[in-house]
Amino acid sequence: MKDLFEKIYKDKGPLGKWASQAEGYFVFPKLEGQISNRMKFQGKDVITWSINDYLGLANHPEVRKTDAEAGAAYGSAYPMGARMMSGHTDLHEKLQNELASFVSKEAAYLLNFGYQGMVSTIDALVSKDDIIVYDVDAHACIIDGVRLHMGKRFTYKHNDVESLEKNLERATKMAEQTGGGILVISEGVFGMRGEQGRLKEIVALKEKYNFRFLVDDAHGFGTLGKTGAGAGEEQGVQDGIDVYFATFAKSLASTGAFIAADQEIIDYLKYNLRSQMFAKSLQMQLVVGALKRLEMLKTMPELKAKLWENVNALQKGLKERGFDIGTTQSCVTPVYLKGSIPEAMALVKDLRENYGIFCSIVVYPVIPKGLILLRLIPTATHTLEDVNETLDAFDGIRSRLENGTYKRLSAAVAAAMGE
């Protein structure tokens, strides 16, 4: 019999195998200072494009004041216990009601964490006789939720409605045999590419197929739609979304999440969401803080307007300079370059050390071999000066990538990786 840990000693995983070269700099980096458009990385000032603080609320004085006052009033423990046992309060209910109203649903329920909440929501919605059909590029929390499903599941090609329909035909035949139903899952905004899910087209398929629709709108909530209510509002199909999910970790710059749906669905979920039934209630400081942030989202449209001023300036500037930003339809701004993993490491080090630009780097196996994805997240705290400085920096790194500078600099790293 093998030692359980033998596989760990032999294979650290597709990302873990680079730990000795990457950890502390390329992965698990330590940004310092107040959350803002400019922070410090290893003692140097950098323009920060990797913080999901879309509306700039993380360090807003009104938010800081509310968080501090709530901390003083309630501490960081209250309420203790799970919601069903001893952790339920009027303020939890108030936040739920305001969130439901904001996203045009009958009811909402708070989740302690977005990832955990999505996994548990999928688990609660389906039984072994049901069939799940989901976008192949869905976030890891959706994939992990689907993994818990004991019934059949199908993926459809990313944002491909024709592929979805083919899989709905398969799912319909199977559901007729099992006596179950069908759950379709998409994201409102796909966080890596920035594309909006094709929610309008998916909702239209309800006229032909019998399914329920779950949308993860983590990146759309607060950034899209006339009021900021998300991708469903943006595309005019919020009513066609049966279960709407969003997190506080992006636009609201906090911790927690929520689901919203018809009252009867929420009543069912709150009695069957294992991640909430058996977990401590969301602490009061976070609940009070979320109420303040939601109020600011609703009453300060200038925050979203400033965010989109920066988004448009950055994306327009990149396209004008010939950069490939894919087909983003959101704030998420990917920049695609061609190069190896060692070249990517040399490029990012140059970008941070010599140009003062900090953004996230994505390489194989997350994206195909030979591609480098630099992911930028504009926020309301960025300035046009930040944008112009970043555009100039990207001109510089592209030139050095194309003339082979990074290939020469990365030769030692490539040798160590056996590439």
PDB file of all heavy atoms in Angstrom, residues 25 41-42 44-46 347-357:
ATOM      1  N   TYR A  25       6.802  36.358  -5.221  1.00  0.00           N
ATOM      2  CA  TYR A  25       6.925  37.438  -6.195  1.00  0.00           C
ATOM      3  C   TYR A  25       5.833  37.345  -7.261  1.00  0.00           C
ATOM      4  O   TYR A  25       5.025  38.259  -7.413  1.00  0.00           O
ATOM      5  CB  TYR A  25       8.301  37.408  -6.867  1.00  0.00           C
ATOM      6  CG  TYR A  25       8.604  38.684  -7.628  1.00  0.00           C
ATOM      7  CD1 TYR A  25       9.319  39.715  -7.009  1.00  0.00           C
ATOM      8  CD2 TYR A  25       8.162  38.877  -8.933  1.00  0.00           C
ATOM      9  CE1 TYR A  25       9.569  40.902  -7.686  1.00  0.00           C
ATOM     10  CE2 TYR A  25       8.417  40.054  -9.607  1.00  0.00           C
ATOM     11  CZ  TYR A  25       9.118  41.064  -8.982  1.00  0.00           C
ATOM     12  OH  TYR A  25       9.358  42.244  -9.654  1.00  0.00           O
ATOM     13  N   PHE A  41       5.110  47.560  -3.423  1.00  0.00           N
ATOM     14  CA  PHE A  41       5.465  46.158  -3.616  1.00  0.00           C
ATOM     15  C   PHE A  41       6.965  46.032  -3.430  1.00  0.00           C
ATOM     16  O   PHE A  41       7.740  46.656  -4.158  1.00  0.00           O
ATOM     17  CB  PHE A  41       5.058  45.675  -5.002  1.00  0.00           C
ATOM     18  CG  PHE A  41       5.443  44.247  -5.279  1.00  0.00           C
ATOM     19  CD1 PHE A  41       4.901  43.212  -4.536  1.00  0.00           C
ATOM     20  CD2 PHE A  41       6.359  43.933  -6.274  1.00  0.00           C
ATOM     21  CE1 PHE A  41       5.249  41.883  -4.794  1.00  0.00           C
ATOM     22  CE2 PHE A  41       6.723  42.626  -6.533  1.00  0.00           C
ATOM     23  CZ  PHE A  41       6.164  41.590  -5.785  1.00  0.00           C
ATOM     24  N   GLN A  42       7.350  45.271  -2.414  1.00  0.00           N
ATOM     25  CA  GLN A  42       8.762  45.091  -2.059  1.00  0.00           C
ATOM     26  C   GLN A  42       9.476  46.437  -1.929  1.00  0.00           C
ATOM     27  O   GLN A  42      10.589  46.632  -2.427  1.00  0.00           O
ATOM     28  CB  GLN A  42       9.454  44.182  -3.075  1.00  0.00           C
ATOM     29  CG  GLN A  42       8.868  42.777  -3.094  1.00  0.00           C
ATOM     30  CD  GLN A  42       9.751  41.750  -3.762  1.00  0.00           C
ATOM     31  OE1 GLN A  42      10.642  42.095  -4.536  1.00  0.00           O
ATOM     32  NE2 GLN A  42       9.521  40.477  -3.469  1.00  0.00           N
ATOM     33  N   LYS A  44       8.754  49.330  -3.221  1.00  0.00           N
ATOM     34  CA  LYS A  44       8.679  50.267  -4.342  1.00  0.00           C
ATOM     35  C   LYS A  44       7.238  50.678  -4.614  1.00  0.00           C
ATOM     36  O   LYS A  44       6.314  49.862  -4.500  1.00  0.00           O
ATOM     37  CB  LYS A  44       9.287  49.644  -5.609  1.00  0.00           C
ATOM     38  CG  LYS A  44      10.781  49.371  -5.491  1.00  0.00           C
ATOM     39  CD  LYS A  44      11.341  48.847  -6.810  1.00  0.00           C
ATOM     40  CE  LYS A  44      12.850  48.627  -6.705  1.00  0.00           C
ATOM     41  NZ  LYS A  44      13.428  48.154  -7.976  1.00  0.00           N
ATOM     42  N   ASP A  45       7.034  51.928  -5.005  1.00  0.00           N
ATOM     43  CA  ASP A  45       5.709  52.404  -5.378  1.00  0.00           C
ATOM     44  C   ASP A  45       5.305  51.794  -6.714  1.00  0.00           C
ATOM     45  O   ASP A  45       6.090  51.792  -7.668  1.00  0.00           O
ATOM     46  CB  ASP A  45       5.698  53.931  -5.486  1.00  0.00           C
ATOM     47  CG  ASP A  45       5.886  54.617  -4.136  1.00  0.00           C
ATOM     48  OD1 ASP A  45       5.432  54.048  -3.124  1.00  0.00           O
ATOM     49  OD2 ASP A  45       6.472  55.712  -4.106  1.00  0.00           O
ATOM     50  N   VAL A  46       4.073  51.292  -6.767  1.00  0.00           N
ATOM     51  CA  VAL A  46       3.564  50.708  -8.017  1.00  0.00           C
ATOM     52  C   VAL A  46       2.125  51.156  -8.245  1.00  0.00           C
ATOM     53  O   VAL A  46       1.370  51.374  -7.300  1.00  0.00           O
ATOM     54  CB  VAL A  46       3.610  49.164  -7.993  1.00  0.00           C
ATOM     55  CG1 VAL A  46       5.032  48.646  -8.045  1.00  0.00           C
ATOM     56  CG2 VAL A  46       2.864  48.605  -6.780  1.00  0.00           C
ATOM     57  N   LEU A 347       9.261  39.358 -18.036  1.00  0.00           N
ATOM     58  CA  LEU A 347       8.453  40.520 -18.431  1.00  0.00           C
ATOM     59  C   LEU A 347       7.796  41.163 -17.215  1.00  0.00           C
ATOM     60  O   LEU A 347       7.834  42.395 -17.040  1.00  0.00           O
ATOM     61  CB  LEU A 347       7.400  40.052 -19.440  1.00  0.00           C
ATOM     62  CG  LEU A 347       6.397  41.057 -20.005  1.00  0.00           C
ATOM     63  CD1 LEU A 347       5.921  40.584 -21.376  1.00  0.00           C
ATOM     64  CD2 LEU A 347       5.189  41.235 -19.105  1.00  0.00           C
ATOM     65  N   VAL A 348       7.181  40.356 -16.368  1.00  0.00           N
ATOM     66  CA  VAL A 348       6.473  40.892 -15.211  1.00  0.00           C
ATOM     67  C   VAL A 348       7.446  41.517 -14.212  1.00  0.00           C
ATOM     68  O   VAL A 348       7.164  42.556 -13.614  1.00  0.00           O
ATOM     69  CB  VAL A 348       5.617  39.797 -14.542  1.00  0.00           C
ATOM     70  CG1 VAL A 348       5.098  40.260 -13.194  1.00  0.00           C
ATOM     71  CG2 VAL A 348       4.456  39.429 -15.452  1.00  0.00           C
ATOM     72  N   LYS A 349       8.607  40.903 -14.060  1.00  0.00           N
ATOM     73  CA  LYS A 349       9.605  41.487 -13.163  1.00  0.00           C
ATOM     74  C   LYS A 349      10.048  42.856 -13.674  1.00  0.00           C
ATOM     75  O   LYS A 349      10.175  43.823 -12.903  1.00  0.00           O
ATOM     76  CB  LYS A 349      10.813  40.557 -13.026  1.00  0.00           C
ATOM     77  CG  LYS A 349      11.789  41.020 -11.952  1.00  0.00           C
ATOM     78  CD  LYS A 349      12.810  39.947 -11.619  1.00  0.00           C
ATOM     79  CE  LYS A 349      13.686  40.405 -10.457  1.00  0.00           C
ATOM     80  NZ  LYS A 349      14.687  39.383 -10.083  1.00  0.00           N
ATOM     81  N   ASP A 350      10.256  42.971 -14.966  1.00  0.00           N
ATOM     82  CA  ASP A 350      10.620  44.251 -15.566  1.00  0.00           C
ATOM     83  C   ASP A 350       9.498  45.276 -15.361  1.00  0.00           C
ATOM     84  O   ASP A 350       9.742  46.438 -15.003  1.00  0.00           O
ATOM     85  CB  ASP A 350      10.871  44.048 -17.061  1.00  0.00           C
ATOM     86  CG  ASP A 350      11.505  45.255 -17.739  1.00  0.00           C
ATOM     87  OD1 ASP A 350      12.159  46.068 -17.045  1.00  0.00           O
ATOM     88  OD2 ASP A 350      11.356  45.380 -18.967  1.00  0.00           O
ATOM     89  N   LEU A 351       8.258  44.841 -15.578  1.00  0.00           N
ATOM     90  CA  LEU A 351       7.103  45.721 -15.437  1.00  0.00           C
ATOM     91  C   LEU A 351       6.991  46.269 -14.021  1.00  0.00           C
ATOM     92  O   LEU A 351       6.706  47.455 -13.812  1.00  0.00           O
ATOM     93  CB  LEU A 351       5.833  44.940 -15.808  1.00  0.00           C
ATOM     94  CG  LEU A 351       4.548  45.721 -16.047  1.00  0.00           C
ATOM     95  CD1 LEU A 351       4.698  46.705 -17.195  1.00  0.00           C
ATOM     96  CD2 LEU A 351       3.395  44.758 -16.314  1.00  0.00           C
ATOM     97  N   ARG A 352       7.265  45.426 -13.045  1.00  0.00           N
ATOM     98  CA  ARG A 352       7.153  45.848 -11.646  1.00  0.00           C
ATOM     99  C   ARG A 352       8.375  46.641 -11.177  1.00  0.00           C
ATOM    100  O   ARG A 352       8.231  47.674 -10.510  1.00  0.00           O
ATOM    101  CB  ARG A 352       6.950  44.618 -10.750  1.00  0.00           C
ATOM    102  CG  ARG A 352       5.620  43.921 -10.997  1.00  0.00           C
ATOM    103  CD  ARG A 352       5.463  42.641 -10.186  1.00  0.00           C
ATOM    104  NE  ARG A 352       4.179  41.996 -10.477  1.00  0.00           N
ATOM    105  CZ  ARG A 352       3.785  40.840  -9.951  1.00  0.00           C
ATOM    106  NH1 ARG A 352       4.583  40.179  -9.114  1.00  0.00           N
ATOM    107  NH2 ARG A 352       2.610  40.333 -10.277  1.00  0.00           N
ATOM    108  N   GLU A 353       9.555  46.158 -11.534  1.00  0.00           N
ATOM    109  CA  GLU A 353      10.769  46.770 -10.992  1.00  0.00           C
ATOM    110  C   GLU A 353      11.136  48.074 -11.702  1.00  0.00           C
ATOM    111  O   GLU A 353      11.587  49.035 -11.058  1.00  0.00           O
ATOM    112  CB  GLU A 353      11.940  45.792 -11.114  1.00  0.00           C
ATOM    113  CG  GLU A 353      11.754  44.482 -10.371  1.00  0.00           C
ATOM    114  CD  GLU A 353      11.668  44.670  -8.866  1.00  0.00           C
ATOM    115  OE1 GLU A 353      12.338  45.577  -8.335  1.00  0.00           O
ATOM    116  OE2 GLU A 353      10.917  43.908  -8.220  1.00  0.00           O
ATOM    117  N   ASN A 354      10.960  48.117 -13.012  1.00  0.00           N
ATOM    118  CA  ASN A 354      11.462  49.255 -13.786  1.00  0.00           C
ATOM    119  C   ASN A 354      10.385  50.210 -14.280  1.00  0.00           C
ATOM    120  O   ASN A 354      10.688  51.365 -14.600  1.00  0.00           O
ATOM    121  CB  ASN A 354      12.281  48.739 -14.976  1.00  0.00           C
ATOM    122  CG  ASN A 354      13.472  47.906 -14.516  1.00  0.00           C
ATOM    123  OD1 ASN A 354      14.193  48.297 -13.589  1.00  0.00           O
ATOM    124  ND2 ASN A 354      13.682  46.762 -15.138  1.00  0.00           N
ATOM    125  N   TYR A 355       9.143  49.720 -14.349  1.00  0.00           N
ATOM    126  CA  TYR A 355       8.061  50.593 -14.807  1.00  0.00           C
ATOM    127  C   TYR A 355       7.078  50.949 -13.691  1.00  0.00           C
ATOM    128  O   TYR A 355       6.225  51.826 -13.863  1.00  0.00           O
ATOM    129  CB  TYR A 355       7.290  49.928 -15.955  1.00  0.00           C
ATOM    130  CG  TYR A 355       8.088  49.809 -17.228  1.00  0.00           C
ATOM    131  CD1 TYR A 355       8.744  48.617 -17.549  1.00  0.00           C
ATOM    132  CD2 TYR A 355       8.181  50.866 -18.134  1.00  0.00           C
ATOM    133  CE1 TYR A 355       9.471  48.485 -18.728  1.00  0.00           C
ATOM    134  CE2 TYR A 355       8.901  50.748 -19.310  1.00  0.00           C
ATOM    135  CZ  TYR A 355       9.543  49.558 -19.600  1.00  0.00           C
ATOM    136  OH  TYR A 355      10.258  49.435 -20.772  1.00  0.00           O
ATOM    137  N   GLY A 356       7.169  50.249 -12.556  1.00  0.00           N
ATOM    138  CA  GLY A 356       6.281  50.544 -11.440  1.00  0.00           C
ATOM    139  C   GLY A 356       4.831  50.201 -11.704  1.00  0.00           C
ATOM    140  O   GLY A 356       3.926  50.905 -11.247  1.00  0.00           O
ATOM    141  N   ILE A 357       4.591  49.100 -12.418  1.00  0.00           N
ATOM    142  CA  ILE A 357       3.233  48.662 -12.731  1.00  0.00           C
ATOM    143  C   ILE A 357       3.016  47.269 -12.156  1.00  0.00           C
ATOM    144  O   ILE A 357       3.781  46.340 -12.444  1.00  0.00           O
ATOM    145  CB  ILE A 357       2.984  48.607 -14.259  1.00  0.00           C
ATOM    146  CG1 ILE A 357       3.336  49.939 -14.926  1.00  0.00           C
ATOM    147  CG2 ILE A 357       1.544  48.191 -14.548  1.00  0.00           C
ATOM    148  CD1 ILE A 357       2.460  51.094 -14.517  1.00  0.00           C
TER     149      ILE A 357
END
